[in-house]
Structure formats: C-alpha cells, structure tokens
Amino acid sequence: MADGLMMPEPTFRESVDLMFNRAVALMDLPPGLEEKIRVCNATYTVRFGVRLRGQIQTFTGYRSVHSEHMEPVKGGIRFATSVCQDEVEALAALMTYKCALVEAPFGGSKGGLCIDPRQWDEHEMELITRRFAYELIKRDLIHPSQNVPAPDMGTSEREMAWIADQYGRMNTTDINAKACVTGKPLNAGGIAGRVEATGRGVQYALREFFRHPEDKAAAGMEGDLDGKTVIVQGLGNVGYHAAKFISQEDGAKIVAVIERDGALCNPEGLDIEAVRDWIARHDGVSGYPDAAFCADGAEILEEECDILIPAALEGVINAGNAGMIKAKLIIEAANGPITASADEVLRRRGVVIIPDAYANAGGVTVSYFEWVKNLSHIRFGRMQRRQEEARHQLVVDELERLDRYLGDAWTLRPEFKDKYLKGADELELVRSGLDDTMRTAYQSMREVWHSRDDVQDLRTATFIVAIERVAASYRAKGL
Ligand code: GLU
C-alpha cells in the first residue's frame, strides 16, 4: 500500500502554495513580501455567449495575473473541461516562478476556457476563440506590453493565429500588434522552433542533468541518456517531442507510453513517430501492433524504469500512487503532475524530481524569443548569417591555399566544410538560445541544491532561486 495514502490530498493550488511555503521558510524575506509574492494579484472571469447550432451557448473563461513585478505578464491559454479559477491561479503562479528561473522578463499569468474542444468543429472553435479573445483584449488582458498569452493544453498555433488576428482588427494602428500573443504559426509572425520548444527544453534539461555526476548519483544513475528506460505519460505536443528527441537523438528507450485510453508497453523501445501516427488515425493507442496494450494506463506509471516523464495533466502522481512509483528520476514536463503530498513521499524515498517550473520552461523561453522578434520586426539571423558565412569562407580558402603546399595530409574533410561554412539560421539560433537558457537555469538551481544543507531537493532549490529573483525585482521597485 502507498505510504502516502493517509495524507490529505491538496488541490493543485494548495500544492503550489505548500511548495512555495517550504522554500520561503528557508529564506530571509522581509515581513509581508512573502505574502505579496505568494498571492495571485487578480483573476478575471468572463461568461459570454456565442450563437452556435441554432442557439446561444454560454462559455466561462478566465485570465489570471499572478505577479506583475515585470510586465508584460506571460502564460498560456488552456482549453479544457478541467479549467476553473483554482487551476488558472495555480498555473499563473507557476508561470511567475518559471519566467524568473529562466530569466524571461515577464510576470506570471494564465488563462483558460472551460470547454471540450473536441466537441466543436474548426469554424465553431474560431468563433468561440475570437469571442473569448475579444473579451480579454478589450480589458488589456491580451496586449503586447501588458499580457501576452501562448498555447497550452487544448490550444495550438491555430488558436494563437486567431487571437493575433482579433487583436490586429481591434488595434489597427498598433505596429507591435503581433507581439500580443506567442506560439503563432511562422507565416503569422511566429518563430522557428516554437512548436517543439517545450519538448526540446525537456531534452536539454535531461542532457544537463546527466552532465553532473553528483546529480546522477543522487538518482542512483550513471552514464548519459543512451540506453535509459523511459515511461512517458501523455503524447501531446510536449510528451511527443520530448520522447521523439531523446529516443532519436540521445538513444533513450521509450518502454511505455500512457494515453487517455490506456498504455502501450514494449521493453525493446517504442517507435514514437509510429505511435503518434496511430493515435492521430485511431483516436487512441488501443490496437497499435508493435506493443502490449494495458487498458489501465495509470498502472503503468508504477512500472520499472529509469526516467518517468509525466507530460499531461496535473495531479497524476498523488498520495495514492507515490509510494509505488519505481522511476529513479521524474521530470515534470507537465505543470503540476506531482501533488505536494506525493512530492513529500517521493522525496523521502530518494526519487529525484526535476520540477515543472524548470523542466517545461522551454515553451516560454522560445515565446520570449518570438516576442522579441515581433517587437524588432526582423527574423533572427537575417543581418549576420551571410556575413558569418563569408568570414568562414575566408578561413576555408586560406586553409585550402595552405593545402596546396602541405599535400594530402592537410585536406579539409567535406563534412567539416559543409558544417563550418553554413551560417546560423533562425532555428539554429533559437535552439542555441534555448540550450543556453536551460543549462544556465539548471546550474543556478543545482548550486542552491548542493551548497545548502537545508535544501534537499531540486524543487525547493528552484523555488528559492525564482522567489529570490522576484523579491529582488520588487525591492528594486521600492516595495
Ligand atoms: N503554456 C506554456 C507554459 O505553461 C507556455 C507559456 C508561454 O509561452 O507563455 O509554460
């Protein structure tokens, strides 16, 4: 039986507060500031009607602003039936800490619409999204310098394009209109690499973790990602990209994938693209030929593996199953997948957790690059790419001139020449910026984790780093 079963299960928002409290108890903040940072500044609730299928349908939406220590505030818009005030406020708080941790100059916000997007066709979704956006835009809750949403669960590039267009229609002379939302398609002001950014960030986070022998040892592991067994829960945008990148590029073995209708297991490793393709065609994993199917997906969370990647809903690892989880390392690709009581149990059992505020920050990091691109009105790399190539060509020409004197021993390999001569395009620059961000943020967390005796886990370290930065920015404002 799970040793956490007797503990009361906190709500998502209580979980975030409990984790925050654990960290501030170890900090020396001026009285009152702690409360100022913890509380959510404001949550706007809107109920609006849209005429659909011959009648008025009423929807409820939210935009919560957790902290305005920096503006604009930033965070996704979620379309799901779970959306409620408690959920958006917890998610908005996580955005504050996430942005502080990766040094994206934003406060924290989050929005949501209580809806099952699968119940409506594309045209209906456009009407609903535009109407929701209209309600938020007219209150400056979507605005390039005040509040900049992005995709989240149930939304994608498609919804962001509608929102950007809606803002443009309502602000026809705003030259920075496109910066009102991120995660847009490339042809509507988006940036290369944003779609896969959160998954890519999970990969970079894992690579950085495996660069530190002390950290691997804490999880009872050695080596790198090559050959590590991984269970992924949720093959949406984040889970799919993370699983694809670590299996195809780092040699990790995805031994199970958990989805809505059940789980697929294959100890030899699953072909993630084939599984994703199957889900798209069959609306679930059941029937997939190259794996064993288990109808009770939640059971598979408790299977043997090196790394567990919860990449879907909050609260999937809770007091009920935390005692049975066998993974040595859990990386929270989703927001809030581990409740505060499960966190307690896992920490006691020595499981290392790479927390959400860091692990899934790749999305907002590349959103930051997109926002900067929109405000500067120029694609990254446009000015320097050819100049860089020309300078590299000079070096290659010179080396080839020397070649003629030194003979065959000095010949440049064609692969080297191709790689060296190619100037960085936007995608490469985005990846480089994301990699640097993920490495730097991890190092700031691990420094606190290892240098303080009273900090035993990465989550507490993450909160300490983030809260310290938010506090510093309030102090700078004279608060
Ligand atoms: N929804 C994503 C998150 O939870 C991205 C937010 C953003 O890009 O602003 O981090």
Side-chain angles (χ1 to χ4, degrees):
M1 189 161 95
D3 50 352
L5 256 185
M6 302 314 292
M7 299 173 81
E9 194 70 84
T11 66
F12 183 17
R13 185 165 154 202
E14 285 164 356
S15 276
V16 175
D17 283 351
L18 284 164
M19 292 164 180
F20 175 93
N21 292 344
R22 257 181 70 79
V24 287
L26 307 175
M27 298 173 72
D28 192 18
L29 293 179
L33 186 55
E34 171 185 325
E35 176 73 355
K36 170 73 200 88
I37 296 175
R38 190 181 57 76
V39 297
C40 192
N41 287 6
T43 301
Y44 172 69
T45 306
V46 59
R47 294 181 190 84
F48 58 90
V50 185
R51 181 170 287 281
L52 297 164
R53 302 180 189 174
Q55 66 181 84
I56 305 267
Q57 306 276 349
T58 304
F59 298 93
T60 305
Y62 306 87
R63 187 77 183 161
S64 176
V65 176
H66 174 261
S67 176
E68 293 148 292
H69 65 288
M70 286 198 189
E71 283 178 311
V73 293
K74 188 93 190 73
I77 290 187
R78 174 174 288 201
F79 285 0
T81 49
S82 62
V83 167
C84 61
Q85 184 166 346
D86 197 81
E87 189 186 63
V88 287
E89 289 189 356
L91 290 165
L94 282 177
M95 285 309 305
T96 296
Y97 310 127
K98 197 182 298 190
C99 292
L101 189 76
V102 295
E103 296 176 286
F106 305 126
S109 182
K110 200 78 171 201
L113 189 64
C114 185
I115 189 174
D116 178 358
R118 302 187 328 158
Q119 301 299 312
W120 304 96
D121 67 30
E122 180 159 2
H123 176 64
E124 292 167 329
M125 281 312 298
E126 179 173 351
L127 291 175
I128 299 164
T129 306
R130 282 185 183 274
R131 182 58 206 270
F132 183 34
Y134 168 83
E135 296 294 334
L136 298 180
I137 293 163
K138 72 176 183 188
R139 290 171 181 88
D140 288 343
L141 288 166
I142 295 178
H143 189 285
S145 63
Q146 311 246 314
N147 197 325
V148 182
D152 199 77
M153 201 189 288
T155 55
S156 64
E157 287 189 331
R158 184 183 73 166
E159 287 73 18
M160 302 308 116
W162 293 331
I163 294 173
D165 185 67
Q166 186 66 31
Y167 184 89
R169 287 185 192 188
M170 294 166 70
N171 295 274
T172 49
T173 56
D174 184 350
I175 197 171
N176 293 322
K178 282 202 162 51
C180 75
V181 64
T182 58
K184 302 177 291 292
L186 208 47
N187 60 13
I191 193 168
R194 175 62 183 88
V195 173
E196 67 272 30
T198 314
R200 191 56 89 186
V202 172
Q203 175 194 34
Y204 290 163
L206 282 170
R207 283 185 181 172
E208 182 59 15
F209 175 85
F210 279 97
R211 280 190 194 105
H212 299 281
E214 223 180 329
D215 304 9
K216 287 186 276 188
M221 284 196 264
E222 46 189 41
D224 54 22
L225 274 168
D226 194 23
K228 295 287 182 294
T229 54
V230 180
I231 295 178
V232 182
Q233 186 252 346
L235 217 58
N237 181 43
V238 180
Y240 162 67
H241 283 110
K244 176 178 149 174
F245 297 146
I246 62 170
S247 58
Q248 290 181 357
E249 297 171 15
D250 301 302
K253 218 196 272 181
I254 314 295
V255 293
V257 161
I258 306 168
E259 261 292 315
R260 229 188 303 258
D261 63 328
L264 296 177
C265 305
N266 183 345
E268 298 313 314
L270 290 155
D271 175 344
I272 289 303
E273 300 220 63
V275 174
R276 169 90 158 187
D277 196 48
W278 183 272
I279 298 172
R281 284 185 290 121
H282 301 88
D283 204 27
V285 288
S286 140
Y288 179 76
D290 298 320
F293 175 73
C294 168
D296 183 5
E299 229 174 64
I300 303 300
L301 286 170
E302 298 162 20
E303 283 299 305
E304 205 76 56
C305 66
D306 294 313
I307 307 168
L308 177 59
I309 310 185
L313 295 169
E314 51 256 18
V316 288
I317 301 171
N318 45 53
N321 61 5
M324 271 97 74
I325 301 288
K326 295 186 191 66
K328 301 174 200 138
L329 174 67
I330 306 179
I331 176 157
E332 294 184 306
N335 287 308
I338 301 179
T339 63
S341 44
D343 192 57
E344 198 78 44
V345 174
L346 292 164
R347 197 161 2 97
R348 277 209 310 268
R349 295 183 45 225
V351 178
V352 174
I353 299 169
I354 303 181
D356 48 6
Y358 166 69
N360 68 41
V364 75
T365 300
V366 178
S367 276
Y368 168 38
F369 303 155
E370 180 177 335
W371 181 73
V372 170
K373 175 187 180 181
N374 293 152
L375 294 177
S376 58
H377 301 268
I378 189 166
R379 184 182 71 234
F380 285 105
R382 183 162 172 183
M383 301 297 279
Q384 59 274 53
R385 183 174 174 191
R386 302 300 169 194
Q387 192 260 0
E388 193 188 333
E389 288 183 356
R391 287 170 65 87
H392 285 185
Q393 186 69 56
L394 276 178
V395 175
V396 167
D397 287 349
E398 191 60 11
L399 287 173
E400 283 183 336
R401 195 182 63 80
L402 292 174
D403 254 12
R404 285 195 285 277
Y405 297 107
L406 294 166
D408 284 350
W410 252 83
T411 307
L412 295 178
R413 285 176 302 128
E415 320 81 270
F416 164 79
K417 257 172 67 176
D418 287 350
K419 273 196 187 160
Y420 187 68
L421 284 176
K422 193 174 159 299
D425 60 10
E426 184 170 81
L427 183 60
E428 271 177 85
L429 293 169
V430 162
R431 284 191 189 157
S432 148
L434 177 59
D435 193 12
D436 181 60
T437 303
M438 296 308 288
R439 289 192 200 200
T440 311
Y442 185 80
Q443 285 157 21
S444 62
M445 291 151 52
R446 76 178 296 277
E447 151 84 22
V448 172
W449 181 24
H450 294 302
S451 66
R452 288 181 57 158
D453 291 340
D454 54 353
V455 176
Q456 263 118 43
D457 63 314
L458 271 169
R459 192 189 306 280
T460 307
T462 304
F463 270 96
I464 290 178
V465 172
I467 296 165
E468 189 44 66
R469 290 185 184 159
V470 177
S473 117
Y474 274 123
R475 271 196 296 270
K477 283 181 162 194
L479 206 79

